[in-house]
PDB file of all heavy atoms in Angstrom:
ATOM      1  N   GLY A 286      79.400  77.614 243.824  1.00  0.00           N
ATOM      2  CA  GLY A 286      80.447  78.411 243.215  1.00  0.00           C
ATOM      3  C   GLY A 286      80.617  79.717 243.951  1.00  0.00           C
ATOM      4  O   GLY A 286      79.962  80.068 244.899  1.00  0.00           O
ATOM      5  N   ARG A 287      81.530  80.484 243.445  1.00  0.00           N
ATOM      6  CA  ARG A 287      81.873  81.747 243.999  1.00  0.00           C
ATOM      7  C   ARG A 287      80.950  82.808 243.419  1.00  0.00           C
ATOM      8  O   ARG A 287      80.480  82.713 242.286  1.00  0.00           O
ATOM      9  CB  ARG A 287      83.334  82.025 243.581  1.00  0.00           C
ATOM     10  CG  ARG A 287      84.081  82.915 244.508  1.00  0.00           C
ATOM     11  CD  ARG A 287      85.545  82.674 244.409  1.00  0.00           C
ATOM     12  NE  ARG A 287      86.023  82.006 245.658  1.00  0.00           N
ATOM     13  CZ  ARG A 287      85.872  82.562 246.828  1.00  0.00           C
ATOM     14  NH1 ARG A 287      85.320  83.718 246.994  1.00  0.00           N
ATOM     15  NH2 ARG A 287      86.327  81.888 247.861  1.00  0.00           N
ATOM     16  N   TYR A 288      80.612  83.844 244.281  1.00  0.00           N
ATOM     17  CA  TYR A 288      79.909  84.988 243.753  1.00  0.00           C
ATOM     18  C   TYR A 288      80.426  86.270 244.380  1.00  0.00           C
ATOM     19  O   TYR A 288      79.856  86.848 245.264  1.00  0.00           O
ATOM     20  CB  TYR A 288      78.399  84.824 244.002  1.00  0.00           C
ATOM     21  CG  TYR A 288      78.018  84.405 245.374  1.00  0.00           C
ATOM     22  CD1 TYR A 288      77.657  85.343 246.360  1.00  0.00           C
ATOM     23  CD2 TYR A 288      77.954  83.034 245.727  1.00  0.00           C
ATOM     24  CE1 TYR A 288      77.207  84.930 247.614  1.00  0.00           C
ATOM     25  CE2 TYR A 288      77.626  82.645 247.023  1.00  0.00           C
ATOM     26  CZ  TYR A 288      77.205  83.614 247.926  1.00  0.00           C
ATOM     27  OH  TYR A 288      76.854  83.186 249.203  1.00  0.00           O
ATOM     28  N   ASP A 289      81.585  86.618 243.880  1.00  0.00           N
ATOM     29  CA  ASP A 289      82.395  87.647 244.474  1.00  0.00           C
ATOM     30  C   ASP A 289      81.794  89.037 244.429  1.00  0.00           C
ATOM     31  O   ASP A 289      82.185  89.977 245.086  1.00  0.00           O
ATOM     32  CB  ASP A 289      83.870  87.672 243.974  1.00  0.00           C
ATOM     33  CG  ASP A 289      84.586  86.462 244.492  1.00  0.00           C
ATOM     34  OD1 ASP A 289      84.248  85.891 245.528  1.00  0.00           O
ATOM     35  OD2 ASP A 289      85.599  86.070 243.839  1.00  0.00           O
ATOM     36  N   THR A 290      80.800  89.231 243.457  1.00  0.00           N
ATOM     37  CA  THR A 290      80.300  90.590 243.329  1.00  0.00           C
ATOM     38  C   THR A 290      78.828  90.733 243.747  1.00  0.00           C
ATOM     39  O   THR A 290      78.275  91.816 243.732  1.00  0.00           O
ATOM     40  CB  THR A 290      80.428  91.043 241.840  1.00  0.00           C
ATOM     41  OG1 THR A 290      79.679  90.121 240.995  1.00  0.00           O
ATOM     42  CG2 THR A 290      81.864  91.097 241.428  1.00  0.00           C
ATOM     43  N   LEU A 291      78.217  89.565 244.094  1.00  0.00           N
ATOM     44  CA  LEU A 291      76.774  89.599 244.379  1.00  0.00           C
ATOM     45  C   LEU A 291      76.398  90.497 245.597  1.00  0.00           C
ATOM     46  O   LEU A 291      75.376  91.197 245.518  1.00  0.00           O
ATOM     47  CB  LEU A 291      76.254  88.185 244.595  1.00  0.00           C
ATOM     48  CG  LEU A 291      74.759  88.102 244.895  1.00  0.00           C
ATOM     49  CD1 LEU A 291      73.936  88.647 243.708  1.00  0.00           C
ATOM     50  CD2 LEU A 291      74.312  86.642 245.149  1.00  0.00           C
ATOM     51  N   VAL A 292      77.169  90.387 246.621  1.00  0.00           N
ATOM     52  CA  VAL A 292      76.810  91.194 247.778  1.00  0.00           C
ATOM     53  C   VAL A 292      76.790  92.673 247.441  1.00  0.00           C
ATOM     54  O   VAL A 292      75.892  93.423 247.843  1.00  0.00           O
ATOM     55  CB  VAL A 292      77.836  90.949 248.899  1.00  0.00           C
ATOM     56  CG1 VAL A 292      77.520  91.781 250.200  1.00  0.00           C
ATOM     57  CG2 VAL A 292      77.836  89.410 249.334  1.00  0.00           C
ATOM     58  N   LYS A 293      77.797  93.084 246.681  1.00  0.00           N
ATOM     59  CA  LYS A 293      77.876  94.498 246.273  1.00  0.00           C
ATOM     60  C   LYS A 293      76.723  94.805 245.348  1.00  0.00           C
ATOM     61  O   LYS A 293      76.021  95.777 245.410  1.00  0.00           O
ATOM     62  CB  LYS A 293      79.193  94.735 245.585  1.00  0.00           C
ATOM     63  CG  LYS A 293      79.423  96.213 245.243  1.00  0.00           C
ATOM     64  CD  LYS A 293      80.963  96.412 245.087  1.00  0.00           C
ATOM     65  CE  LYS A 293      81.310  97.901 245.040  1.00  0.00           C
ATOM     66  NZ  LYS A 293      80.997  98.479 243.717  1.00  0.00           N
ATOM     67  N   ASP A 294      76.484  93.898 244.383  1.00  0.00           N
ATOM     68  CA  ASP A 294      75.420  94.123 243.422  1.00  0.00           C
ATOM     69  C   ASP A 294      74.024  94.234 244.113  1.00  0.00           C
ATOM     70  O   ASP A 294      73.108  94.936 243.578  1.00  0.00           O
ATOM     71  CB  ASP A 294      75.332  92.928 242.416  1.00  0.00           C
ATOM     72  CG  ASP A 294      76.515  92.866 241.530  1.00  0.00           C
ATOM     73  OD1 ASP A 294      77.273  93.851 241.477  1.00  0.00           O
ATOM     74  OD2 ASP A 294      76.710  91.770 240.938  1.00  0.00           O
ATOM     75  N   LEU A 295      73.859  93.640 245.253  1.00  0.00           N
ATOM     76  CA  LEU A 295      72.559  93.759 245.940  1.00  0.00           C
ATOM     77  C   LEU A 295      72.563  94.918 246.935  1.00  0.00           C
ATOM     78  O   LEU A 295      71.658  94.994 247.802  1.00  0.00           O
ATOM     79  CB  LEU A 295      72.257  92.410 246.662  1.00  0.00           C
ATOM     80  CG  LEU A 295      71.846  91.311 245.732  1.00  0.00           C
ATOM     81  CD1 LEU A 295      71.581  90.034 246.536  1.00  0.00           C
ATOM     82  CD2 LEU A 295      70.712  91.627 244.825  1.00  0.00           C
ATOM     83  N   GLY A 296      73.552  95.734 246.819  1.00  0.00           N
ATOM     84  CA  GLY A 296      73.563  96.965 247.672  1.00  0.00           C
ATOM     85  C   GLY A 296      74.401  96.865 248.952  1.00  0.00           C
ATOM     86  O   GLY A 296      74.342  97.731 249.776  1.00  0.00           O
ATOM     87  N   GLY A 297      75.199  95.786 249.090  1.00  0.00           N
ATOM     88  CA  GLY A 297      75.992  95.655 250.221  1.00  0.00           C
ATOM     89  C   GLY A 297      77.401  96.002 250.012  1.00  0.00           C
ATOM     90  O   GLY A 297      77.743  96.611 248.936  1.00  0.00           O
ATOM     91  N   PRO A 298      78.338  95.748 250.924  1.00  0.00           N
ATOM     92  CA  PRO A 298      79.682  96.022 250.778  1.00  0.00           C
ATOM     93  C   PRO A 298      80.326  95.135 249.783  1.00  0.00           C
ATOM     94  O   PRO A 298      79.758  94.047 249.414  1.00  0.00           O
ATOM     95  CB  PRO A 298      80.296  95.798 252.197  1.00  0.00           C
ATOM     96  CG  PRO A 298      79.338  94.770 252.792  1.00  0.00           C
ATOM     97  CD  PRO A 298      78.006  95.099 252.233  1.00  0.00           C
TER      98      PRO A 298
END
Side-chain angles (χ1 to χ4, degrees):
Chain A
R287 209 154 249 300
Y288 48 96
D289 287 338
T290 59
L291 180 61
V292 177
K293 187 158 192 282
D294 292 344
L295 290 180

